[in-house]
């Protein structure tokens, strides 16, 4: 079993942070973006939004390769980068995937 | 085709909204409803990576099995060996002026 890459670990942390803070963030977003509410309240909500940490924003989350930790060239369905995907597909470890030839 | 007064059209829209239970918002003001309407993304985000067996966690859960983490043992052994050769971690400063870098500056 290879050790977890630090960036993958960080990404997992971000994912859990998003899960835990999502509802509160949505509520503040609703107040802050609602033009029918008084500006002072909207501003307060925006300030509250800014107090959330880095690992609570959904945009911090990035799909990475579960095997190599690579951030680019990911096939999200398999959570693998293109090279690891190729290696595993050729080894027959991914069900339903085979090399095309015609 | 006869022209219809805008105020009449607005009345019609208002009535339509009350009948079909939609929000009457003639000026297109932003209500922030889309943030409440959108699905929560957290639950599916957490499921992205396949679960990994955490050996340290298993060891902590079943202390009576007396499992041995070989990688960890090896690491501790390596640290011991390094210390014997005088390659261990430097001593930490207890007070502020005691740091190695601070002393060198004098």
């Amino acid at each position: 079993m290879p050790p977890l890459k630090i960036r993958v670990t960080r990404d997992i942390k971000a994912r859990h942070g998003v899960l835990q803070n999502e509802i509160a963030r949505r509520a503040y977003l609703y107040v802050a973006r609602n033009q029918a509410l008084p500006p002072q309240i909207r501003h307060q909500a925006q300030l509250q939004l800014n107090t959330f940490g880095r690992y609570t924003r959904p945009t911090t989350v990035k799909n990475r390769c579960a095997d190599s930790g690579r951030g680019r060239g990911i096939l999200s369905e398999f959570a693998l980068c293109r090279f690891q995907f190729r290696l595993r597909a050729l080894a027959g470890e991914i069900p339903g995937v085979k090399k095309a030839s015609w | 085709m006869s022209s219809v007064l805008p105020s009449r059209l607005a009345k019609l829209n208002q009535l339509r909204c009350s009948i079909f239970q939609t929000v009457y918002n003639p000026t297109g003001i932003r209500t922030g409803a889309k943030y409440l309407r959108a699905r929560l993304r957290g639950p599916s985000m957490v499921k992205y990576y396949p679960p990994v067996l955490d050996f340290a966690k298993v060891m902590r859960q079943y202390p009576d099995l007396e499992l041995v983490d070989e990688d960890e043992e090896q690491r501790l052994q390596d640290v011991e060996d390094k210390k014997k050769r005088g390659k261990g971690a430097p001593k930490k400063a207890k007070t502020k002026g005691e740091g190695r870098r601070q002393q060198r500056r004098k």
Side-chain angles (χ1 to χ4, degrees):
Chain A
M1 196 181 71
L4 269 181
K5 307 274 170 164
I6 178 61
R7 289 184 192 217
V8 172
T9 317
R10 202 176 292 157
D11 193 45
I12 291 172
K13 183 182 170 190
R15 281 165 195 273
H16 284 281
V18 169
L19 180 72
Q20 279 159 15
N21 296 284
E22 197 167 30
I23 290 170
R25 274 188 58 92
R26 284 283 176 86
Y28 281 125
L29 264 175
Y30 167 71
V31 175
R33 304 287 185 269
N34 193 343
Q35 288 180 327
L37 294 174
Q40 208 175 355
I41 290 175
R42 288 179 62 196
H43 186 61
Q44 287 286 329
Q46 187 60 47
L47 290 180
Q48 280 298 317
L49 269 177
N50 294 346
T51 61
F52 281 95
R54 178 192 297 169
Y55 298 117
T56 59
R57 259 171 267 132
T59 47
T60 325
V61 169
K62 173 147 182 72
N63 285 358
R64 302 195 78 91
C65 177
D67 200 58
S68 63
R70 220 179 117 87
R72 294 184 182 197
I74 304 297
L75 287 92
S76 302
E77 276 179 55
F78 307 98
L80 290 172
C81 72
R82 55 195 170 84
F83 186 56
Q84 297 299 331
F85 172 76
R86 182 183 143 83
L87 285 183
R88 293 204 182 180
L90 289 181
E93 288 168 21
I94 305 177
V97 175
K98 68 172 183 179
K99 196 173 164 86
S101 172
W102 65 88
Chain B
M1 208 174 90
S2 65
S3 62
V4 186
L5 277 174
S7 59
R8 300 264 300 165
L9 272 178
K11 269 264 174 67
L12 174 69
N13 265 337
Q14 205 169 356
L15 187 63
R16 200 183 269 161
C17 286
S18 67
I19 290 170
F20 294 108
Q21 291 177 336
T22 51
V23 180
Y24 180 62
N25 188 0
T27 50
I29 202 169
R30 292 181 187 181
T31 59
K34 69 174 179 182
Y35 299 101
L36 302 183
R37 211 188 306 122
R39 69 178 177 88
L40 294 177
R41 293 168 63 201
S44 56
M45 263 184 189
V46 173
K47 283 186 212 144
Y48 175 76
Y49 294 106
V52 178
L53 183 72
D54 188 353
F55 197 79
K57 208 181 218 174
V58 174
M59 269 175 61
R60 257 178 280 129
Q61 251 181 3
Y62 306 101
D64 43 331
L65 280 182
E66 288 175 10
L67 298 164
V68 179
D69 189 346
E70 280 184 21
D71 289 345
E72 183 65 8
E73 298 284 308
Q74 184 65 50
R75 189 185 72 82
L76 292 176
Q77 185 61 45
D78 289 352
V79 169
E80 277 304 309
D81 291 352
K82 270 190 182 168
K83 262 187 199 163
K84 271 181 196 161
R85 280 185 284 130
K87 305 271 184 195
K91 269 181 191 153
K92 296 292 169 204
K94 294 250 168 59
T95 56
K96 210 182 174 196
E98 225 174 89
R100 275 191 333 135
R101 213 177 286 168
Q102 240 96 25
Q103 283 182 351
R104 207 183 297 159
R105 206 173 284 166
K106 279 171 195 168

